[in-house]
């Protein structure tokens, strides 16, 4: 079952509304609301956004054109199909100029109308994707493969699929790079909302006031620079899912507003006076310990309880190393062009299995991509990998001095030694990789008394 699209029909003739509603409802993919008056249409739209509006042009009090202008200003992502008399081509053209998606003549042909509605919904989807891309906020749900053989990950995936069909709030906890967004995506794409937007908001990347107006929108003139009314992401996500990433970083100022939204399903645009309702499923994620954040007074306890209805815990990669070989193969195949083959040798795989992956799967992905660039021929060897400095520090954490803290100079020395080894002591390549000149490298080798095989 897929969630229905919401349709608002505005026509002063009750019989037209009735017939349209009957015909669309029969298809079982639309939830239809009808109103007989332009002003009522505006009121309804102020309280609840719709996926599409069918709008009669000729209505006694407020004309369809006035309502169209209002919708274009306040609900830029909602397509409007005008219902016009066949004779009235001039008005139809004018309406398209004002931003109507299309027009259908009355009396309408049922199949033609449905085809136009479907096209308009596709247009809406593209408009939303486009809108979100401007903010680099969203990727569409679905389509991303999740690789897992470990029992721990299989349980996470099975639970995610199970809870997907309900509308309950899902919270995902896991360390950085462990696949939180991928799992959030899975919850959305396995839910009945899969044909509606999956909107990602990174709560840590926006300052307080901006986060509030991104989430809930703002009215024209709500604050300096609010030159135009702006729809909030909760409205854009209507019918779909809203992924609140890094929710542990949401500021104390915005927390009560989010809580109100979660509790009542209601919100107000910044500077707005009307409460609006949307139908959005919330998925949140963080790598922070929210209980500790509550204790420290940075996160509201009531908000934590609201978010924590179902919690999915993603284990760090080091606790599920059996996933590594398949992930390696997956990332290798992802980067290779058709017909190309590249294999990883056993020694390299052993090294990857021993490493602790503080940056989890994202780090593994980058390590593979890097190694593919470094490798010659069709085999990737252990030498082709540069694992992060954390690794170097871990390997050498007990330095000759026996202390566990390295000075910056010691760390630099180790890093240079490691990189020199990696590039088989080729100073040109080493200095390039380190982002310094050959001369600086030479001076540092002397200063740290690094022994190199080709030293005289
Ligand atoms: N099980 C998996 N199978 C395949 N790819 C994965 C898997 N887990 C994570 N990835 C990939 O690793 C990268 C990081 O995953 P994702 O962005 O979901 O992690 P995250 O926990 O949200 O990270 P961050 O805390 O940095 O936001 C992505 O490119 C994702 O596609
Ligand atoms: Mg993430």
């Amino acid at each position: 079952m897929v969630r229905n699209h919401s349709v608002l029909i505005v026509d002063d003739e009750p019989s037209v509304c009735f017939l349209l509603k009957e015909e669309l409802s029969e298809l079982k993919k639309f939830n239809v609301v009808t109103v007989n008056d332009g002003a009522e249409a505006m009121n309804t739209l102020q309280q609840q956004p719709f996926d599409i509006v069918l709008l009669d042009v000729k209505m006694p009090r407020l004309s369809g054109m006035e309502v169209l202008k209002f919708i274009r200003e306040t609900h830029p992502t909602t397509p409007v199909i005008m219902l016009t008399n066949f004779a009235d081509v001039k008005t139809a053209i004018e309406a398209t100029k004002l931003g109507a998606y299309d027009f259908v003549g009355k009396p309408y042909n049922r199949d033609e109308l449905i085809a136009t509605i479907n096209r308009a919904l596709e247009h809406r989807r593209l408009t939303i994707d486009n809108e979100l891309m401007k903010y680099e906020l969203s990727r569409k749900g679905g389509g991303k493969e999740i690789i897992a053989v470990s029992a721990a990950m299989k349980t996470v995936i099975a639970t995610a699929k199970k809870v997907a069909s309900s509308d309950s709030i899902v919270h995902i906890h896991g360390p950085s790079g462990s696949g939180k967004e991928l799992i959030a995506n899975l919850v959305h794409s396995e839910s009945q909302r899969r044909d509606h937007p999956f909107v990602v908001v990174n709560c840590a990347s926006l300052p307080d006031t901006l986060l509030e107006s991104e989430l809930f929108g703002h009215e024209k003139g709500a604050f300096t620079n609010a030159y135009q009314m702006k729809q909030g992401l909760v409205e854009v996500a209507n019918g779909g899912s809203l992924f609140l990433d890094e929710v542990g970083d949401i500021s104390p100022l915005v927390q009560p507003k989010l809580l109100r939204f979660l509790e009542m399903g209601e919100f107000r645009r910044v500077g707005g006076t009307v409460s609006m309702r949307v139908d959005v499923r919330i998925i949140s994620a963080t790598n922070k310990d929210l209980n500790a954040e509550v204790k420290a007074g940075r996160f509201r306890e009531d908000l934590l309880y609201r978010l924590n209805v179902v919690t999915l815990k993603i284990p760090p990669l080091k606790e599920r190393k059996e996933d590594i070989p398949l992930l390696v193969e997956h990332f290798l195949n992802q980067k290779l062009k058709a017909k190309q083959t590249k294999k990883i040798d056993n020694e390299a795989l052993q090294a990857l299995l021993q490493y602790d992956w503080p940056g989890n799967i994202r780090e593994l992905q980058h390590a593979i991509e890097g190694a593919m660039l470094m490798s010659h021929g069709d085999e990737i060897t252990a030498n082709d990998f540069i694992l992060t400095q954390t690794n170097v520090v871990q390997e050498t954490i007990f330095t000759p001095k026996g202390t566990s803290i390295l000075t910056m100079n010691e760390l630099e020395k180790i890093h240079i030694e490691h990189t020199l080894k990696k590039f088989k002591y080729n100073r040109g390549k080493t200095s390039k990789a380190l982002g310094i000149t050959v001369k600086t490298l030479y001076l540092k080798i002397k200063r740290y008394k690094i022994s190199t095989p080709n030293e005289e």
Side-chain angles (χ1 to χ4, degrees):
M1 251 269 284
V2 174
R3 183 192 169 275
N4 287 349
H5 284 285
S6 53
V7 186
L8 178 67
I9 298 174
V10 191
D11 199 306
D12 59 319
E13 274 179 67
S15 59
V16 174
C17 284
F18 178 79
L19 204 67
L20 269 170
K21 184 172 179 170
E22 284 284 291
E23 285 183 337
L24 291 183
S25 304
E26 235 171 49
L27 298 174
K28 306 222 179 314
K29 59 181 263 203
F30 300 111
N31 288 345
V32 183
V33 173
T34 61
V35 293
N36 299 123
D37 178 277
E40 207 183 329
M42 284 175 165
N43 271 338
T44 310
L45 279 160
Q46 268 179 334
Q47 286 155 29
Q48 173 197 352
F50 283 82
D51 294 347
I52 190 163
V53 179
L54 304 187
L55 180 62
D56 184 22
V57 174
K58 277 216 175 78
M59 290 185 290
R61 288 199 298 166
L62 202 65
S63 82
M65 295 307 231
E66 292 304 317
V67 182
L68 173 63
K69 275 189 213 155
F70 168 81
I71 300 177
R72 285 284 55 88
E73 266 173 35
T74 56
H75 295 74
T77 51
T78 304
V80 179
I81 297 174
M82 306 300 287
L83 306 170
T84 57
N85 280 326
F86 263 123
D88 200 359
V89 179
K90 206 172 133 229
T91 319
I93 293 173
E94 202 185 317
T96 334
K97 275 192 195 147
L98 282 176
Y101 172 73
D102 206 344
F103 49 90
V104 169
K106 285 206 282 191
Y108 61 91
N109 169 307
R110 180 179 170 278
D111 292 346
E112 190 194 324
L113 175 69
I114 291 166
T116 311
I117 291 178
N118 285 334
R119 272 202 312 276
L121 285 171
E122 178 58 17
H123 175 79
R124 170 178 183 265
R125 200 178 64 75
L126 295 176
T127 317
I128 289 176
D129 280 358
N130 220 359
E131 189 67 16
L132 293 170
M133 234 145 58
K134 274 193 234 154
Y135 296 94
E136 293 183 355
L137 280 174
S138 166
R139 278 122 281 179
K140 187 90 179 97
K144 278 204 154 185
E145 205 182 340
I146 305 181
I147 307 293
V149 285
S150 62
M153 258 335 260
K154 282 189 165 168
T155 309
V156 171
I157 293 169
T159 319
K161 286 186 176 170
K162 211 161 126 192
V163 296
S165 58
S166 76
D167 257 347
S168 58
I169 297 180
V170 176
H171 180 63
I172 303 168
H173 186 260
S176 150
S178 61
K180 295 186 291 295
E181 187 163 336
L182 210 57
I183 294 293
N185 219 310
L186 177 72
V187 172
H188 173 75
S189 56
E190 288 283 320
S191 78
Q192 295 164 6
R193 298 169 175 270
R194 67 183 85 90
D195 290 341
H196 297 265
F198 174 68
V199 176
V200 183
V201 190
N202 188 325
C203 302
S205 67
L206 298 164
D208 305 354
T209 44
L210 207 58
L211 178 63
E212 186 184 349
S213 78
E214 284 299 320
L215 277 177
F216 302 122
H218 61 74
E219 295 295 344
K220 192 171 168 177
F223 45 83
T224 338
N225 299 336
Y227 299 119
Q228 269 181 355
M229 164 266 145
K230 188 168 176 304
Q231 253 184 328
L233 291 168
V234 293
E235 276 178 73
V236 178
N238 190 32
S241 313
L242 183 70
F243 177 41
L244 300 172
D245 201 3
E246 318 275 6
V247 75
D249 292 279
I250 197 163
S251 88
L253 236 104
V254 186
Q255 286 179 28
K257 296 185 172 148
L258 178 62
L259 182 67
R260 181 184 140 96
F261 176 61
L262 297 182
E263 278 179 343
M264 328 270 288
E266 272 183 15
F267 68 97
R268 271 181 201 188
R269 287 181 181 156
V270 177
T273 48
V274 192
S275 289
M276 295 182 91
R277 275 192 167 274
V278 282
D279 167 26
V280 165
R281 199 257 185 91
I282 301 288
I283 307 171
S284 66
T286 183
N287 54 14
K288 287 194 170 167
D289 175 354
L290 286 186
N291 284 308
E293 292 297 298
V294 169
K295 281 208 185 95
R298 287 189 291 263
F299 203 83
R300 288 176 70 121
E301 197 170 12
D302 42 10
L303 183 56
L304 172 64
Y305 289 139
R306 271 281 149 193
L307 291 173
N308 242 351
V309 181
V310 179
T311 298
L312 301 172
K313 271 196 186 320
I314 306 189
L317 187 55
K318 69 175 177 205
E319 286 174 18
R320 46 176 167 120
K321 287 191 170 172
E322 58 271 42
D323 285 342
I324 292 177
L326 265 191
L327 281 166
V328 169
E329 201 179 304
H330 173 69
F331 293 135
L332 277 176
N333 290 336
Q334 247 183 9
K335 280 279 148 183
L336 288 175
K337 300 208 175 79
K339 287 195 190 153
Q340 247 184 325
T341 52
K342 222 167 222 208
K343 285 217 158 65
I344 184 157
D345 78 3
N346 197 35
E347 193 196 341
L349 189 60
Q350 290 312 317
L352 299 185
L353 283 166
Q354 265 158 34
Y355 184 58
D356 267 353
W357 301 106
N360 293 290
I361 298 173
R362 179 175 291 113
E363 186 183 1
L364 175 63
Q365 183 177 8
H366 290 162
I368 301 286
E369 287 170 10
M372 284 174 82
L373 291 175
M374 303 300 289
S375 67
H376 305 286
D378 49 15
E379 196 148 80
I380 298 176
T381 67
N383 271 337
D384 297 323
F385 284 95
I386 311 179
L387 300 177
T388 61
Q389 283 191 3
T390 339
N391 185 41
V392 181
V393 176
Q394 274 167 2
E395 276 172 9
T396 53
I397 205 133
F398 293 104
T399 59
K401 282 193 312 194
T403 59
S404 58
I405 301 288
L406 296 168
T407 64
M408 293 309 280
N409 283 347
E410 281 166 336
L411 190 64
E412 188 174 60
K413 180 182 175 197
I414 291 168
H415 189 46
I416 293 173
E417 279 175 339
H418 187 80
T419 316
L420 274 165
K421 209 163 114 198
K422 181 164 171 33
F423 289 102
K424 304 205 168 58
Y425 298 93
N426 178 318
R427 294 189 184 189
K429 285 186 186 164
T430 306
S431 57
K432 205 166 165 202
L434 291 172
I436 54 178
T437 61
V438 179
K439 189 173 169 207
T440 310
L441 178 65
Y442 170 79
L443 292 173
K444 285 188 191 283
I445 288 174
K446 282 211 104 166
R447 180 163 142 221
Y448 295 136
K449 298 194 176 58
I450 295 171
S451 56
T452 60
N454 39 1
E455 230 176 8
E456 53 299 7

